[in-house]
Amino acid sequence: MKILDWYILKRFLVTFLFTLLILIPIAVAIDISEKIDKFLRHENLTFFQIVDEYYKNFIIYYANTFMPLALFIAVILFTSRLANNTEIIAINSAQISFKRFLYPYFIGATIVAVVALAMNHFVVPNSNKIRKEFENTYIKKQNYKDKSVRDFSLQLNDSTYIFLQNFDLERNSGYNFSTETYHGLELKTRLTADRINWNKKDSTFKLYNWKERKVFSKRDSIFSGNSLDTVFAFTPKDFDYKAALAQEMPSNDLISFIDLSKKRGIKNLNAYLVELYKRTSLPMATYVLTLIAVALAQRKRRGGTGINLALGVAVMFIYVFFLKVAEVLGAVAGADPLLNVWMPNIIFGAYAVYLYLNARK
């Protein structure tokens, strides 16, 4: 790398970190002002607990969320400064092409993208889990719907199905349970119980007022009893299909969860797939946003940095709008989550290529 490359790369990273360090305290200050009264309601809640369990993970989450915005603003700011100081004119006079000029920018974008990928796939999900546990305990009031599932069905494999009228996720207890096993289209066994309890300690279920029917070619056999300890190929965690849970799973766990859910016949997993694909698409957007920012800011404009910054922020907000719309559309049943998640990058990638071709002229 040449001296010019180190110069641009250093300013790229320093301005990026500076921008990020400005945005995070603002987010923390706003959040404290909104939640201070809720913290004070709990006498047993210590300052250390608030910082360690909530704000440490809050900062991790929002630092990762603000990375694309901080990168875009950083590139706009210091590239505009280069243009206003006529440094870009000197670079062009040295017969350095626009393509070669982009080289240190893309090295910086790669560093940010690698960090964002690691954060998205492994660090942020674990951090989200701790932060949301804190929120559910001290900040949010959980509804009954958050603690239970109703009229739930699940396919365990090609031949076994379970049904539940109600299951309390806090008490690990449910009512009107049944499981059916088929051979092809023929029912082979059916086990029902008025009540079912999960014993977390030894990973077993206890059935109350149970009845089992076994179907044979010429006759049926029926067994019943007051209680029965047994094992099934599921746990209460399998009953809780909420899109928010995807944000708390590291990517390897999320992929395993999606694969298992597909085998169990869960129809719409698009919300989980959107979360998985977004963890890669958003870091990859750093290249698109870097190219757009450099192309917009590399020319000296009347009005200086302010005009470039206003134009860049407008583009960034349009990108965020497209991103949110794509996430919502991708989570709808029947939609293609991969295409929807990557659509903002495709659209703005085409815009970046257009700006790049014009900037080369």
Side-chain angles (χ1 to χ4, degrees):
M1 292 178 66
K2 296 182 178 180
I3 295 176
L4 176 63
D5 297 327
W6 281 113
Y7 174 70
I8 293 176
L9 180 59
K10 180 181 177 181
R11 299 205 38 192
F12 180 109
L13 296 176
V14 168
T15 311
F16 166 72
L17 291 174
F18 178 75
T19 306
L20 198 59
L21 290 174
I22 289 176
L23 294 173
I24 294 300
I26 294 173
V28 171
I30 293 172
D31 191 73
I32 290 175
S33 66
E34 292 177 349
K35 296 186 173 67
I36 186 66
D37 58 327
K38 296 178 182 178
F39 293 147
L40 295 175
R41 290 175 190 169
H42 303 277
E43 295 180 358
N44 60 334
L45 188 60
T46 65
F47 175 78
F48 176 79
Q49 197 174 356
I50 295 172
V51 173
D52 185 59
E53 295 183 16
Y54 182 69
Y55 278 109
K56 181 180 74 175
N57 298 297
F58 178 92
I59 290 170
I60 291 173
Y61 175 76
Y62 279 97
N64 186 67
T65 302
F66 288 153
M67 270 190 188
L69 176 61
L71 176 138
F72 193 76
I73 293 175
V75 174
I76 288 280
L77 283 174
F78 88 82
T79 305
S80 296
R81 200 174 300 123
L82 290 177
N84 290 334
N85 294 337
T86 66
E87 292 177 81
I88 291 181
I89 294 176
I91 291 170
N92 291 333
S93 300
Q95 297 184 341
I96 296 175
S97 66
F98 183 66
K99 180 179 178 182
R100 179 63 184 82
F101 176 63
L102 288 172
Y103 180 69
Y105 284 94
F106 276 89
I107 292 177
T110 300
I111 294 171
V112 174
V114 170
V115 172
L117 281 169
M119 294 277 288
N120 276 344
H121 286 282
F122 303 106
V123 178
V124 174
N126 291 320
S127 177
N128 281 341
K129 187 174 182 180
I130 298 171
R131 179 174 59 85
K132 289 185 178 182
E133 284 179 359
F134 182 94
E135 288 179 346
N136 291 333
T137 304
Y138 297 106
I139 299 175
K140 294 181 179 179
K141 292 182 178 180
Q142 287 186 312
N143 297 322
Y144 177 73
K145 291 181 180 179
D146 296 327
K147 304 175 184 177
S148 66
V149 292
R150 297 180 63 87
D151 300 323
F152 184 83
S153 63
L154 185 66
Q155 180 179 348
L156 300 182
N157 51 49
D158 293 338
S159 60
T160 306
Y161 302 81
I162 67 166
F163 305 91
L164 268 167
Q165 184 177 350
N166 177 278
F167 195 90
D168 191 311
L169 296 169
E170 281 195 337
R171 298 179 181 178
N172 287 323
S173 177
Y175 298 92
N176 295 335
F177 167 80
S178 68
T179 176
E180 298 176 354
T181 303
Y182 291 83
H183 180 71
L185 298 176
E186 296 182 3
L187 177 67
K188 302 304 293 182
T189 63
R190 186 171 190 267
L191 175 64
T192 63
D194 290 344
R195 188 159 59 94
I196 180 172
N197 282 359
W198 163 251
N199 188 342
K200 187 176 181 180
K201 186 176 181 180
D202 55 9
S203 300
T204 61
F205 286 95
K206 190 161 190 171
L207 306 179
Y208 294 91
N209 295 329
W210 62 274
K211 183 183 291 185
E212 184 178 27
R213 175 189 174 194
K214 293 187 177 181
V215 180
F216 299 100
S217 57
K218 295 183 179 180
R219 60 182 178 84
D220 295 353
S221 295
I222 297 178
F223 307 90
S224 62
N226 292 327
S227 64
L228 174 68
D229 292 317
T230 186
V231 176
F232 293 111
F234 63 88
T235 69
K237 289 183 179 180
D238 297 318
F239 302 155
D240 199 9
Y241 279 83
K242 294 188 179 73
L245 292 177
Q247 298 176 3
E248 302 175 15
M249 298 183 192
S251 292
N252 53 338
D253 292 342
L254 182 56
I255 292 170
S256 299
F257 176 84
I258 292 170
D259 290 341
L260 180 61
S261 298
K262 286 180 178 178
K263 292 177 183 178
R264 289 179 168 178
I266 303 299
K267 299 299 182 184
N268 184 18
L269 293 167
N270 281 4
Y272 292 87
L273 291 168
V274 164
E275 174 64 26
L276 178 63
Y277 298 145
K278 186 176 71 174
R279 294 179 183 182
T280 300
S281 69
L282 200 54
M284 291 299 103
T286 56
Y287 295 105
V288 174
L289 296 175
T290 297
L291 181 55
I292 292 175
V294 176
L296 289 175
Q298 55 95 25
R299 290 182 180 175
K300 189 174 182 179
R301 300 175 187 271
R302 184 177 298 175
T305 304
I307 297 297
N308 287 334
L309 186 60
L311 185 60
V313 170
V315 171
M316 189 66 202
F317 274 107
I318 294 171
Y319 174 81
V320 172
F321 172 77
F322 271 93
L323 184 65
K324 294 302 179 183
V325 170
E327 288 178 22
V328 173
L329 294 178
V332 175
D336 187 337
L338 180 62
L339 179 61
N340 277 278
V341 167
W342 280 89
M343 187 57 69
N345 286 356
I346 294 171
I347 294 172
F348 279 79
Y351 178 57
V353 171
Y354 168 78
L355 292 176
Y356 169 74
L357 294 175
N358 279 274
R360 290 181 61 185
K361 297 178 182 179

